[in-house]
Amino acid sequence: MTPRPSSSGSDPKKTTGKKTAKASKKAVAKKAVTKKAVAKKTVAKKAVAKKTVGTKTVAKKAAPREETRAAAPGAEVAVSPALDAGDRERLLTGTHHDPHAVLGAHRVPGGVAFRAFRPYALAVTVLSGELRLALHDDGDGFFSGLAPLEEVPVHRLLVTYEGTVQEVEDPYRFLPALGELDLHLIGEGRHEQLWRALGAHPTTHDGVAGTRFAVWAPNARGVRVAGGFNFWDGTGHPMRSLGSTGVWELFLPGVGAGELYKFEITRPDGSRTFRADPLARRTEVPPATSSVVHASHYTWGDEDWLAHRADVPAHEAPMSVYEVHLPSWRPGLTYRQLAEQLPAYVADLGFTHVELMPVAEHPFGGSWGYQVTGFYAPTARLGDPDDFKYLVDRLHRAGIGVLMDWVPAHFPRDDWALAEFDGRPLYEHSDPLRAAHPDWGTLEFDFGRREVRNFLVANAVYWCEEFHIDGLRVDAVASMLYLDYSREPGQWTPNEHGGRENLDAVAFLQEMNATLYRRVPGVVTIAEESTAWDGVTRATHHQGPSGFGGLGFGLKWNMGWMHDSLQYMSREPVHRKYHHGELTFSMVYAYSENYVLPISHDEVVHGKKSLVSKMPGDWWQQRANERAYLAYMWAHPGKQLLFMGQEFAQGAEWSEAHGPDWWLLDPEYGAAADHRGVRDLVRDLNTHYRATPALWRRDTHPSGFAWVVGDAAEDNVLAFLRLDADGTPLLAVSHFAPVVRPGYRLGVPEDVPAWHEVLNTDAARYGGGDVVTPDPVKPEAQGWHGHPASIRLTLPPLATVWLRPV
């Protein structure tokens, strides 16, 4: 017997227990007898071996030859109900494409043939109304009988095992539970709610409760369902192939939510593999790998949030994002426990959104979720899918949007997941050079295959529609866009035009964005794209200079700004004047895309140091530099994202094993005030940011920004105006030298009678030296920096100051 996988990876044979083992011996013992019966061709006699009394059929032993009656002229000649050798062999080896055509009940000459395939059963009886038909044991778990009925009846099975008798529904009496429209859309690669068609779905079919299983495996010779409900032996539960779609389907009565399962796939070479369901909506807790039948019973309470989510486009609204790795934010907390703490914390600090590092199921926690095996299942480490819905719901009710990292670029090679799913490359490209990701040891999706594109596009829709996710940050877009990404000459093949662009990936991203924006009002997609690809955030129907339509994203991570500004800040102040352009260059291309300014998890791991530890100088100077940098970042055009732990100047790099160093905020810790000061600044930055439309309303339009001075490299100073739609300004001044500069003159518009300092990162409450300007500052008539008026400020050391009109 082919080994069967248990849900925990233990010896599958142990799951069958003593009763199953004995039943197996019983079935094997009868095999020789069955073969003799077939060889003598006595099966025809079995067909008339049942006497009918009224409407009841009484089972008897096979009738002797002399009881066989000659058929009347023109009457049907009864045929044997037993399966022929070919069907038996295909069912036993798991290669039958249409088990429903031979199992169950079927009209045949002489009546209705009943056939059951019940490995380990001692006896099977058909029950239908008053009919009780004991089926003949044909060996190897096959049972058959013939009833002289005119029509195929609705029936059940009474199955006898050693020590138990079960009355069950016959799975092979049901028509397909998957509709023609579903199959048509799957075949076209256009099923935008694919998760409603494929996977495991508890349902009531033809009045019977059970679960419909469906999986796409076009290269399989056969597919069977194995799970806890059949002791991980799928032999008796083969699925049927539904036409040319490559979809296999089976409705199993009596199987409900909570059951573990996998698909047992017979590959083209005849070998077998047990695979988790690609569209499983729930999984076991890793390292266990089984899929779990799931039915959601969650009732949402975020109607108000959803009703107003689309009121203002994301690029014209405030967006301040707190990036979170859920398993380590507060290690050990479940989704529901996080729901009691995370919304309150994020709301208190004034962030508008959280961005969750990948939530989809992944086998290795050290991948942080970026190597996904369960694209449709929230990780079971923290709870079930309804628990995750509860977390999203609570965040929405606290006024916080939820963004989620989404990873459609690649998947790991685990032999129980997507890799060569049905024995041949399926989700990955058939060309090994195109399939293998050179950096991460993973496989790239075949974006040119319509079913694979459908799998991914529907997955994007799934998270936003089923879990009310407000936006997807799409990981590793650059690796998708270029055929030569991290590849040397000879390791890649140009596209049909001779270029390096992956045209299939471009088409996929365009389709994904267009579909998502059409279906989900108020959603936003964000590209983590690190190159100068033209039109990442341009509409898909608008062609750019390169000849491509836009990719259709709403926002793009500004990796150039992140790299240049952090490089500048890491330098000693005495050297910064030689690298002033690293801070100002971002404004050369600031309006080429709609940008997010990311200080993400990638920047605070693997030897890159935490944000505060990147800064030069002693502990005071490091914190002053971080505070000045954060205020510069919040004032710069673009949305902002900050990774957890950086809001309170954690000195150590982040580790998924223990999460942020919350103890730094403990009042008993001597330096807690230093860390609390930085966190207080972040709270005030968000408060002023949300209350100041000049900082976000024209983020993507050049009219929302004006330089005051961008070339004061000798002074390590830069100053600029942010402007609301009506021209209302905010003046941001950053000074990245460790000295006080009194009376520093800056040009300003002449129509502002006085300026008031609304934020100063050197304030004492943040841990600074308290070089502040408490009184309003009135302009002088002296022109400066190209403006008709000017003001004189005392610039604190290593600080950023915001001023608004009084």
Side-chain angles (χ1 to χ4, degrees), residues 452-640:
V452 175
R453 281 204 311 271
N454 193 173
F455 174 81
L456 293 170
V457 171
N459 188 240
V461 175
Y462 170 75
W463 288 105
C464 294
E465 288 191 351
E466 293 291 321
F467 292 93
H468 294 193
I469 297 297
D470 302 296
L472 299 177
R473 176 267 195 186
V474 183
D475 182 64
V477 172
S479 75
M480 301 163 66
L481 290 175
Y482 297 99
L483 295 169
D484 63 345
Y485 183 87
S486 286
R487 292 177 171 89
E488 299 298 326
Q491 295 180 333
W492 63 282
T493 303
N495 62 35
E496 61 192 59
H497 305 297
R500 56 195 285 256
E501 299 86 2
N502 187 337
L503 304 181
D504 294 335
V506 171
F508 156 66
L509 291 171
Q510 291 174 328
E511 181 181 347
M512 181 275 297
N513 280 311
T515 303
L516 201 57
Y517 277 100
R518 170 171 51 81
R519 290 188 64 100
V520 187
V523 75
V524 62
T525 57
I526 306 167
E528 189 226 2
E529 204 285 314
S530 55
T531 74
W533 183 278
D534 173 49
V536 173
T537 58
R538 188 171 61 241
T540 58
H541 58 284
H542 288 169
Q543 185 171 307
S546 62
F548 289 103
L551 296 183
F553 285 93
L555 298 165
K556 171 184 172 176
W557 272 23
N558 194 334
M559 310 292 279
W561 170 89
M562 176 274 298
H563 178 270
D564 290 348
S565 63
L566 288 180
Q567 187 166 279
Y568 174 88
M569 294 302 300
S570 67
R571 303 183 189 280
E572 291 288 343
V574 68
H575 300 305
R576 286 174 175 169
K577 64 181 179 180
Y578 303 110
H579 303 277
H580 195 71
E582 291 174 345
L583 277 190
T584 60
F585 180 66
S586 60
M587 290 312 304
V588 173
Y589 60 86
Y591 302 105
S592 61
E593 302 279 5
N594 305 335
Y595 282 117
V596 174
L597 312 178
I599 301 299
S600 73
H601 63 278
D602 275 333
E603 309 316 315
V604 295
V605 291
H606 301 326
K608 295 180 183 178
K609 302 180 181 179
S610 71
L611 182 58
V612 73
S613 297
K614 296 176 190 289
M615 306 300 174
D618 58 23
W619 176 232
W620 188 95
Q621 290 176 324
Q622 284 182 310
R623 288 181 293 115
N625 271 303
E626 178 176 346
R627 293 193 305 267
Y629 178 72
L630 290 175
Y632 153 76
M633 170 182 172
W634 255 249
H636 191 285
K639 314 308 178 183
Q640 52 277 332

Side-chain angles (χ1 to χ4, degrees), residues 124-141:
V124 177
T125 300
V126 172
L127 308 177
S128 180
E130 296 184 2
L131 172 70
R132 292 180 67 86
L133 174 64
L135 301 184
H136 184 269
D137 186 346
D138 298 330
D140 292 334

